[in-house]
Amino acid sequence: MLPALNKKYPFYILSFGVLFLFLALRYDFGNDYMSYYGVHEALNAGWQLTLGNEEILYKYFNLLIPNFYVMVAILSFFYICTLFLLIKSTLYIRQYWFAVLILLINPYLFLVHLSSFRQTIALCFLVFAVHFLTKGKRLFYFLFISIAVGFHQSALVMFPVYFLLNQKKINAVKIVTIMGVVILLLITPLSDTLFKWILDFFPKGYSYYYEQGLQNSLRATLISSFYFFLIVLNINKLTGRELIYGKLALIATIISLLAYKASMINRIGMYFDIFLIVTIPLIFSKMKQGKVRLILFVAMFGIYILRYWSFFNNPVWIEFYGTYQTILNK
């Protein structure tokens, strides 16, 4: 890393500090804040709530920290440190702004993370698991994934994904095969069978999202295809640990496409979406043609702005419409 770039560290540390304060001091911001508050108060009042035997770690996390606002602050600090680890261990300092831009301008990353307490904790342990896997420490991968499952059972999906996380290039035949399988799942009922099979491994509550028949719009699917093609056509430019992160990001884009058939699959996609914040900057840094890079960046930025507008006009995320408030003025 170039010594001259070290001067930027204070700025980036300050940036992550601001994000931490935004998260740690928030009050009733996001879809599930008050429901998590209610669960925390009930558990600490001695109520016997059923959170699922597989998510027992979340229950004891609540009991270990009796003050909900302190718990939110601790979770926020853990989340911010996890993001910083992911970015710092993968990108040059000059690329940090790009990663943070993607994190913030994609509403289904930062905003959704601050709303999904349990799954965000699981997501953080997943990032640590993959970090150790890139260093060849497989035992730590399974250990951290097991901990993640203790906070959100959906993290079980990361056990079979292990077999895809290697540093082998994806040849042209495999790329064409991936495209063919995605198209097949989109145009045939095969995806319905796949989704039902996956749901059998999760609590009955997860089937609610599927049974509602909610689907992503055609526009959202076309938008997702931009990121799918951006990654699948450039993934072999990545090497080493970069390639592992690239494969996770590619899975994220595939899940986004399949959400056209059932939007509930995006709940699983959360575990993969986070790796977009490092994969996209890496891919752009490998592009040699400046004009192509500029055109793609403008297109990507425009798409994210469109998604941001769509997010705040979607009744599903109505709890984000209100004015942000803190625990200091609630």
Side-chain angles (χ1 to χ4, degrees):
M1 191 171 294
L2 299 177
L5 296 176
N6 290 335
K7 296 178 181 180
K8 294 185 178 181
Y9 263 118
F11 171 76
Y12 288 112
I13 292 175
L14 177 62
S15 300
F16 281 98
V18 170
L19 292 179
F20 165 70
L21 291 176
F22 179 89
L23 290 170
L25 297 178
R26 72 188 189 275
Y27 175 77
D28 194 15
F29 186 69
N31 284 37
D32 300 325
Y33 184 97
M34 295 310 296
S35 63
Y36 281 114
Y37 177 81
V39 167
H40 181 274
E41 293 297 296
L43 286 172
N44 281 276
W47 292 21
Q48 297 299 315
L49 301 183
T50 302
L51 294 175
N53 294 328
E54 300 81 3
E55 298 173 349
I56 194 68
L57 292 182
Y58 181 72
K59 175 181 178 180
Y60 285 106
F61 180 56
N62 279 267
L63 294 174
L64 181 64
I65 308 169
N67 186 297
F68 181 72
Y69 305 125
V70 173
M71 190 184 85
V72 171
I74 292 174
L75 171 57
S76 301
F77 184 74
F78 182 43
Y79 173 70
I80 290 297
C81 288
T82 301
L83 290 177
F84 189 72
L85 168 70
L86 176 62
I87 295 171
K88 182 179 181 296
S89 64
T90 311
L91 303 177
Y92 285 102
I93 298 178
R94 61 177 178 269
Q95 297 170 315
Y96 285 14
W97 69 269
F98 201 167
V100 174
L101 174 66
I102 295 171
L103 173 72
L104 297 180
I105 203 171
N106 183 345
Y108 297 94
L109 290 176
F110 185 73
L111 289 181
V112 171
H113 291 165
L114 66 81
S115 184
S116 305
F117 284 45
R118 289 183 300 135
Q119 197 165 0
T120 297
I121 300 174
L123 173 65
C124 291
F125 282 108
L126 162 64
V127 171
F128 279 94
V130 175
H131 175 75
F132 282 111
L133 182 63
T134 63
K135 294 180 176 294
K137 298 179 179 180
R138 297 176 178 82
L139 180 61
F140 281 94
Y141 174 84
F142 291 109
L143 173 62
F144 278 98
I145 293 301
S146 298
I147 295 173
V149 172
F151 285 96
H152 207 280
Q153 191 186 2
S154 60
L156 280 167
V157 73
M158 296 309 300
F159 282 114
V161 168
Y162 163 79
F163 297 100
L164 303 176
L165 302 184
N166 53 59
Q167 299 180 14
K168 296 180 180 179
K169 298 282 187 178
I170 304 177
N171 59 38
V173 174
K174 290 181 179 178
I175 289 176
V176 172
T177 302
I178 290 172
M179 292 181 178
V181 170
V182 171
I183 293 173
L184 186 67
L185 290 172
L186 285 173
I187 65 176
T188 71
L190 182 61
S191 57
D192 296 317
T193 302
L194 177 63
F195 295 153
K196 290 176 182 178
W197 179 78
I198 292 174
L199 285 172
D200 287 339
F201 290 89
F202 298 107
K204 293 182 179 179
Y206 286 84
S207 62
Y208 169 81
Y209 298 98
Y210 182 76
E211 292 168 356
Q212 295 301 304
L214 300 176
Q215 300 175 325
N216 275 14
S217 66
L218 178 60
R219 183 184 67 181
T221 305
L222 292 174
I223 287 174
S224 297
S225 68
F226 172 88
Y227 301 102
F228 170 73
F229 286 112
L230 175 67
I231 294 175
V232 77
L233 297 177
N234 292 281
I235 194 168
N236 284 329
K237 295 177 181 178
L238 306 178
T239 58
R241 75 163 62 188
E242 299 175 353
L243 186 55
I244 292 178
Y245 292 145
K247 288 180 178 180
L248 287 163
L250 179 60
I251 294 173
T253 62
I254 293 173
I255 290 175
S256 292
L257 289 174
L258 296 181
Y260 178 66
K261 301 293 289 289
S263 61
M264 55 74 59
I265 200 70
N266 281 323
R267 295 299 300 269
I268 302 299
M270 280 184 63
Y271 294 116
F272 305 94
D273 287 338
I274 191 63
F275 295 98
L276 289 168
I277 72 173
V278 292
T279 298
I280 291 177
L282 284 170
I283 286 176
F284 270 82
S285 70
K286 306 289 184 180
M287 294 179 181
K288 296 180 179 180
Q289 295 179 315
K291 290 184 178 179
V292 173
R293 183 165 51 192
L294 178 61
I295 292 172
L296 288 175
F297 178 81
V298 171
M300 183 192 71
F301 187 78
I303 287 172
Y304 273 134
I305 291 296
L306 179 61
R307 294 192 76 176
Y308 211 86
W309 177 87
S310 177
F311 180 88
F312 281 100
N313 284 275
N314 189 332
V316 172
W317 308 111
I318 191 170
E319 296 299 329
F320 285 98
Y321 299 171
T323 303
Y324 173 82
Q325 57 181 330
T326 73
I327 58 176
L328 303 177
N329 60 6
K330 66 181 181 67

